[in-house]
Amino acid sequence: MRKHYIAGNWKMNTTRTEAVKLAQDLVKELKGKSNTYMIAPPFVYLDAVAQVLKGSSIILGAQDVASTDNGAHTGEVSASMLKDIGVRTVIIGHSERRHEIGESDMLINAKVHKTLASDLDVVLCIGELLAEREAGNAESVCAFQLDADLSGVTAAQMPHITIAYEPVWAIGTGKTATPADAEEIHRFIRSHVAKLYNQRIADELIIQYGGSMKAANAKELLAEPDIDGGLIGGASLKAETFVPICIL
């Protein structure tokens, strides 16, 4: 049976003091809880937060990674650097990277391969824009992204992949797909992965919902059979709003 996997993507938020305090609060509040938890602070605070998480069950995540090895790549952060300070998983293909920074599926696929080759896990984000949903193309967009982003990823590597479905129109807008809407796409993602690999891999795949999940709607969303957790943005920035989702 799949366990809930609740991840906090802090994005470009917090000071160093706030990041350390939030991590300390989460270590205290989530001690002994049975779900899987991950937090992804900004790059500049990863090392400080790593010290807080030592000995806890909370996974340290990064919000992005370079597609290249160490070298002359100004401003980039490599998978080996992340691993060196205790990062265990990397968020790749977040909608804000795709649509604000302009990352292509080819680049995202390269990042997936570089991360897996470094023995780090991946949270791969996919999802459609509002215009794509309104045109009836939500499933085809998600299928294209899965095909492109997982190209060359082997069946043996798939246990190191988590998929986060992000309806882009519901991120940071306060809008949320209904549980039925979200479940429909999660179920489609699982069926598509079964076609790409096999049913066992699809059945074991963790699929998070990443569109403005918060304490008020998390219980309904997580009750759906194919929604296995959440990639939480704004609600992950305070222990009092993140912990209630974590312990469902």
Side-chain angles (χ1 to χ4, degrees):
M1 182 177 178
R2 300 184 299 268
K3 286 201 306 183
H4 285 163
Y5 181 2
I6 310 297
N9 177 14
W10 296 1
K11 305 188 181 183
M12 198 169 69
N13 292 294
T14 73
T15 63
R16 184 182 188 279
T17 299
E18 290 168 345
V20 168
K21 177 62 166 57
L22 177 53
Q24 290 171 336
D25 290 344
L26 294 176
V27 168
K28 178 182 176 182
E29 294 292 334
L30 298 178
K31 185 177 181 179
K33 304 301 182 184
S34 60
N35 290 328
T36 301
Y37 307 114
M38 182 267 276
I39 55 175
F43 277 136
V44 291
Y45 306 137
L46 280 170
D47 204 9
V49 171
Q51 307 311 310
V52 178
L53 298 187
K54 281 184 178 177
S56 80
S57 61
I58 301 175
I59 298 166
L60 181 64
Q63 298 177 22
D64 188 34
V65 67
S67 63
T68 55
D69 292 322
N70 293 344
H73 308 289
T74 300
E76 292 287 79
V77 179
S78 70
S80 63
M81 291 175 177
L82 296 175
K83 188 175 180 180
D84 186 47
I85 60 169
V87 168
R88 292 167 51 196
T89 193
V90 182
I91 299 170
I92 298 176
H94 191 281
S95 62
E96 290 153 5
R97 302 294 307 176
R98 293 176 185 267
H99 301 296
E100 290 184 17
I101 309 301
E103 290 193 0
S104 67
D105 287 286
M106 183 180 294
L107 176 59
I108 290 165
N109 177 248
K111 290 183 175 188
V112 168
H113 281 285
K114 185 60 65 177
T115 302
L116 293 172
S118 300
D119 295 320
L120 297 172
D121 291 341
V122 171
V123 173
L124 174 63
C125 302
I126 65 170
E128 80 281 2
L129 298 167
L130 180 59
E132 292 168 332
R133 169 167 279 270
E134 290 179 338
N137 295 328
E139 290 186 358
S140 61
V141 168
C142 289
F144 175 86
Q145 291 172 344
L146 286 168
D147 292 347
D149 301 345
L150 294 176
S151 178
V153 174
T154 67
Q157 291 174 312
M158 280 303 293
H160 299 284
I161 299 277
T162 294
I163 302 295
Y165 167 60
E166 302 181 308
V168 180
W169 46 272
I171 298 172
T173 64
K175 297 180 179 180
T176 311
T178 67
D181 287 340
E183 167 62 16
E184 182 179 12
I185 299 296
H186 278 239
R187 185 170 57 247
F188 170 78
I189 291 168
R190 201 175 302 284
S191 68
H192 194 74
V193 169
K195 293 177 184 177
L196 291 176
Y197 296 97
N198 58 56
Q199 192 61 52
R200 179 186 61 78
I201 287 174
D203 288 342
E204 294 176 355
L205 178 69
I206 299 293
I207 308 175
Q208 298 171 325
Y209 175 73
S212 295
M213 182 183 281
K214 47 191 178 291
N217 60 30
K219 187 173 182 179
E220 279 188 297
L221 287 163
L222 292 171
E224 296 291 341
D226 290 294
I227 300 179
D228 307 312
L231 180 60
I232 317 299
S236 71
L237 295 176
K238 294 182 180 179
E240 57 263 37
T241 53
F242 189 51
V243 170
I245 302 171
C246 291
I247 61 177
L248 287 172

